[in-house]
Each structure stands twice: as structure tokens, then as C-alpha cells.
Amino acid sequence: MAEATLGGSADSVSFEEAGLRYEVDGEIATITLDRPDKRNAQTFATWSALARIGDDLPEQVRIVVIQGEGPSFSAGIDLRMFTPEGVPGQGSFSSTAQLDEKSFEQVIEQAQQGFLWLRRPEIVSIAAVQGHAIGAGFQLALACDLRIVADDVKFCMKEPALGLVPDLTGTKPLVDLVGTAKAIDICLTARVVGAEEAFRIGLAEHVVNRGGLAQAVQEKAAELLTTNRDAATATKRLLQGARGRTLEEQAAAERVEQKARIKALFAGS
Ligand code: ACO
């Protein structure tokens, strides 16, 4: 296993300072939100560290697991952002609000980079979620392809209750998973969605006992690794594009991917 640190200039904080642990073990990368005493609250440093992990992900990695240390997966954005003092070295919403239009846009776009890469076709991302997954925590779970949850999970899209919108790429997967009406219900009430409902409405693939979460994720990862890597990538690409295409367009996309697979497998035989 390799423990890595952040390089680069502007955002060169260590993973520890960003509240993360990061390990790569063969084909599986594991990212752990690791500020349990603050319920794994997230900061801009957390998101830039996530983006850096995505940029530098070793080519052999096929599975990315995101998990949280302690009782909660994540209590969302660090609430110090709402104070005039903000998070040391990272500013506050008050200071962000003073930025010119372009810089303001860039700040949000940069934060979103921490989440977007988790949809790459070459990987399957799995969120292992226990306890609270609030705001940015819920959105991080939504950024993953699969959610395996403990029976004590409490999803909550708190942003509208705080006067904000969910902007960490969570609105699209939420609508894709549960539909617009249910997404409106969940976001505009900021209510808690527990394990039974999460499973019923398609937010969670599996619900397990709290103590069995790590094992369930390990088993899913092992199952996912049994399929052919290139076929898995091509199939994920097809599935991701399916909603945006007509049946005819999807059939055409299937032909393109299959021709590439058959050529790769049999052209030399
Ligand atoms: N930011 C900063 N610190 C936090 C956060 C947060 N989001 N959430 C919890 N903490 C800190 C608490 O201040 C407390 O610190 P302290 O021990 O120094 O006093 C510690 O974590 C433990 O928190 P408790 O509230 O005591 O833990 P409990 O398990 O009882 O409750 C819960 C957990 C429900 C998550 C609660 O802490 C909470 O409601 N947190 C705020 C959630 C929130 O509103 N997040 C913003 C969402 S919006 C967005 O993400 C964009």
C-alpha cells in the first residue's frame, strides 16, 4: 500500500491537512474522510485533494472506495465557512462573495473537480456510507457510482435550509436516481432519508449492518473485478450515455463499442 501526499504549488497541502487518507492497493484505491472528531466536515482543501487524487490515479486502479472514519460519513461543508473568520487559509463565504464574477465561478468549478472524476468510465466508485451524510457528504456519496450503506445512514440535502443550493455535482445523480419529484421533496424539505427509504427509492444498492459495511464493500469490489476491464469500461460508458440517447442512438453506440471489443479480442486470431 502506498500513502501519498499532495504535490503542486497553490493547493499543496498534505492529505492529512485536507482531512483525508488515501491508499492504493493493486486495483483498489481507498479514500477515507478522516476528521471523525469533526464528523468528517469538508473544506476546499478536501475537494482540491480529491481532485488531485483523480488527476494522479494510477492506471491500474479499477475501483475507488470512498468511506468515512467514525460515526458519520460526512457532516458536509465545514460550518466555519459561514463565519466571517472562515477556515484558516481557505477563506469564508463572505470572502468568496467579494470575488469578481470569473474568480467566483472558478472557485466553485474547482470544488466540483473533486467530485466529477468519480464518474469516469475506467473506474467504478463506491461510497461506503454510515451515519450522517449531510450536504457535501450526501453529494460526495451521490458522485459515486454505487452506494452501499449501513442501516444507520441518514442522508440529508441541507443546503436549501442554509440558503444555498447543492452545487457539488449532486443534483443530477439525485434526479437520475430518484426522479425530479422525489428530489424536490428531499432537497426542499432538507429532511432525513434513512436506510429503508434510501434502498426503496434507489439511493442505495445495499443496506447492511453497521459492522458489516467494510466487508460488504470489499465483496462488491471483488465481484466488480471479476469482469473484463475494457469491457467494463465500455459498458459503463454505454450505460452512462443511455438516458441522453434515443433507442436508435443507443443501439448505434452499442454497435460502436462492440466492434471495438470484438476487434480487440479476435482480430489477431
Ligand atoms: N463543520 C464543522 N464542524 C462540524 C460539522 C461541520 N459541518 N459537523 C459537526 N462538526 C463538529 C461539531 O462542531 C463538534 O465539534 P466539537 O466537538 O469541537 O464541539 C463535532 O463535530 C461533533 O459534532 P456533534 O454535533 O457533537 O456530533 P453528533 O454526532 O451529535 O451530530 C451531526 C452529528 C448531526 C452531523 C451534527 O454535527 C450536525 O448537524 N452538523 C452540521 C451539519 C451541517 O449543517 N452541515 C452543512 C451541510 S450544507 C453543505 O454541506 C454545503
Side-chain angles (χ1 to χ4, degrees):
M1 289 209 186
E3 172 87 14
T5 50
L6 291 171
S9 51
D11 53 355
S12 59
V13 294
S14 68
F15 285 129
E16 195 182 344
E17 285 168 305
L20 296 179
R21 289 202 319 270
Y22 171 49
E23 287 156 353
V24 176
D25 186 7
E27 295 172 299
I28 303 178
T30 303
I31 301 168
T32 307
L33 302 167
D34 193 21
R35 257 200 329 149
D37 54 323
K38 299 294 177 195
R39 301 299 180 264
N40 301 324
Q42 302 172 34
T43 65
F44 281 98
T46 315
W47 303 327
S48 92
L50 284 172
R52 186 68 61 93
I53 291 172
D55 288 345
D56 296 344
L57 199 70
E59 216 198 318
Q60 84 268 11
V61 170
R62 292 184 60 187
I63 308 287
V64 175
V65 175
I66 302 205
Q67 60 188 14
E69 194 65 58
S72 301
F73 176 72
S74 171
I77 195 167
D78 193 312
L79 292 175
R80 288 177 299 173
M81 282 298 290
F82 290 83
T83 66
E85 300 77 33
V87 178
Q90 297 182 50
S92 64
F93 282 132
S94 307
S95 57
T96 309
Q98 310 305 319
L99 293 172
D100 63 70
E101 197 61 27
K102 193 166 165 229
S103 311
F104 203 156
E105 171 89 13
Q106 277 173 350
V107 165
I108 301 179
E109 202 178 345
Q110 266 172 18
Q112 292 172 333
Q113 297 309 312
F115 296 71
L116 283 168
W117 66 273
L118 290 159
R119 282 87 166 188
R120 262 182 221 159
E122 296 78 18
I123 58 168
V124 177
S125 49
I126 307 174
V129 191
Q130 82 285 3
H132 291 97
I134 303 178
F138 191 1
Q139 293 192 70
L140 186 56
L142 283 166
C144 292
D145 295 310
L146 307 177
R147 282 147 295 282
I148 299 181
V149 306
D151 49 11
D152 67 348
V153 77
K154 293 181 186 67
F155 289 114
C156 171
M157 201 64 91
K158 186 84 175 280
E159 286 84 343
L162 298 171
L164 301 173
V165 300
D167 67 342
L168 296 167
T169 77
T171 54
K172 183 164 172 54
L174 184 62
V175 168
D176 285 348
L177 288 167
V178 306
T180 307
K182 186 62 78 184
I184 288 173
D185 169 25
I186 290 170
C187 295
L188 274 62
T189 61
R191 70 180 175 82
V192 167
V193 178
E196 183 278 324
E197 183 182 4
F199 181 69
R200 181 163 41 82
I201 67 178
L203 268 181
E205 276 59 53
H206 298 288
V207 180
V208 297
N209 292 333
R210 174 75 184 85
L213 187 58
Q215 168 87 11
V217 170
Q218 249 177 37
E219 283 170 10
K220 181 58 68 184
E223 224 180 310
L224 287 160
L225 289 173
T226 59
T227 51
N228 174 289
R229 179 186 182 130
D230 295 331
T233 300
T235 304
K236 183 174 165 186
R237 205 163 33 224
L238 273 175
L239 297 174
Q240 284 179 316
R243 271 184 208 273
R245 299 192 192 105
T246 64
L247 180 59
E248 289 71 24
E249 288 165 348
Q250 185 69 3
E254 288 175 0
R255 293 196 293 275
V256 170
E257 295 286 9
Q258 195 68 307
K259 280 190 286 181
R261 293 305 317 132
I262 291 171
K263 274 187 191 168
L265 291 171
F266 303 108
S269 60

